[in-house]
Amino acid sequence: MKFCSECAHPVSLQIPPDDNRMRYVCSNCGSIHYQNPKMVVGSVPVWERDGELRVLLCKRAIEPQYGYWTLPAGFMENDETTDDAARRETLEEAGARVELHELFSLLNVPHVHQVHLFYRATLLDLDYAAGIESLEVGLFTEAEIPWDEIAFPTVEITLRAFFADIKKIRQEDGHFSLHTQAIFKPMRAGLAPK
């Protein structure tokens, strides 16, 4: 940040009185500009028929990670709840309408100042299509998922936890858990997917 959004004067990094972190502060009007993590919210949309479970994935048409596969997700907007954001992003990226269930994963990504939230979701129908940010959209069984072409660590962790929970549920009559984790590894370096 170089200029104050209140008065347009230059800002400088300093620790304001009664604070303990460096903040951008305007010496002209005194405004303190707090910068906080962004929320990325999405869903794990599934379709199950005759015991076969498939997850809806989107192939990214934008950077970062153009051409890689992801769950439908994106930045939460102001005046939205997290479940509103998950439904909107699923509709925008995959053209899919879903019934949302509970929060499934909450992943902290401090090195990029983000928190990723994924809700479990059930597709209401098979009327889906790639949105403007997706090259294509498809349903995948666990075995069909292009694991080497998953865009982000948060997506891979969420998918692996989801299928692990499914196995436990089918074997032990278990339940879905909330999965939380901090991720410090960066996403793969811009290699073109196959």
Side-chain angles (χ1 to χ4, degrees), residues 81-130:
T81 64
T82 54
D83 54 330
D84 288 341
R87 278 189 208 88
R88 177 185 53 76
E89 286 291 342
T90 304
L91 187 60
E92 285 179 4
E93 293 189 5
R97 296 178 318 111
V98 293
E99 175 188 352
L100 276 192
H101 305 297
E102 75 279 355
L103 181 63
F104 180 74
S105 65
L106 186 156
L107 303 156
N108 295 287
V109 195
H111 64 282
V112 292
H113 318 294
Q114 296 175 1
V115 177
H116 293 205
L117 305 170
F118 290 96
Y119 285 87
R120 276 193 332 101
T122 302
L123 288 166
L124 296 176
D125 52 51
L126 292 177
D127 185 21
Y128 59 83

Side-chain angles (χ1 to χ4, degrees), residues 163-180:
F163 285 111
D165 278 6
I166 289 291
K167 283 181 183 137
K168 288 179 189 173
I169 289 167
R170 289 181 174 170
Q171 292 171 0
E172 305 166 8
D173 196 29
H175 61 278
F176 287 102
S177 299
L178 174 61
H179 299 269
T180 62

Side-chain angles (χ1 to χ4, degrees), residues 5 7 9 11 21 38 57 65 80 101 103-104 122 126 135 166 172:
S5 58
C7 72
H9 279 78
V11 295
R21 293 180 183 266
K38 294 187 180 282
L57 297 178
Q65 304 303 77
E80 263 186 332
H101 305 297
L103 181 63
F104 180 74
T122 302
L126 292 177
L135 295 170
I166 289 291
E172 305 166 8

Side-chain angles (χ1 to χ4, degrees), residues 9-73:
H9 279 78
V11 295
S12 62
L13 271 174
Q14 54 185 282
I15 299 175
D18 300 324
D19 202 338
N20 61 2
R21 293 180 183 266
M22 298 291 278
R23 312 284 185 187
Y24 288 104
V25 178
C26 179
S27 59
N28 182 61
C29 72
S31 290
I32 301 169
H33 301 278
Y34 297 93
Q35 295 180 318
N36 304 104
K38 294 187 180 282
M39 304 290 287
V40 173
V41 185
S43 70
V44 184
V46 300
W47 183 259
E48 186 171 10
R49 285 297 179 265
D50 302 322
E52 185 173 68
L53 184 93
R54 295 178 179 270
V55 175
L56 189 70
L57 297 178
C58 306
K59 193 173 206 178
R60 291 180 59 81
I62 59 172
E63 292 293 350
Q65 304 303 77
Y66 178 94
Y68 284 90
W69 292 92
T70 188
L71 289 165

